[in-house]
Amino acid sequence: MIQAIFDDGSSVLREPRTHSWAKVRAIALDLAGKLFTGAAIGVGFAIVHAFAG
């Protein structure tokens, strides 16, 4: 019984497993965020230029 408690405790303290795609996913999300931010800024400039004439 006590051995099972220590086994559960050590499994909680172990380093969490990381997926091999985690880095790729993080880079892709960062790139997508930058792309959409750039597109939003570009659309904003286009609207300002259209109103400015």
Side-chain angles (χ1 to χ4, degrees):
M1 177 72 178
I2 292 179
Q3 184 66 27
I5 292 171
F6 287 124
D7 287 342
D8 291 340
S10 67
S11 68
V12 169
L13 296 175
R14 255 187 255 138
E15 187 175 325
R17 291 184 179 180
T18 57
H19 297 289
S20 60
W21 287 101
K23 278 189 175 181
V24 175
R25 194 177 317 142
I27 292 170
L29 284 174
D30 185 47
L31 183 65
K34 289 177 182 177
L35 179 73
F36 285 123
T37 301
I41 291 171
V43 168
F45 281 138
I47 291 171
V48 168
H49 281 277
F51 281 126

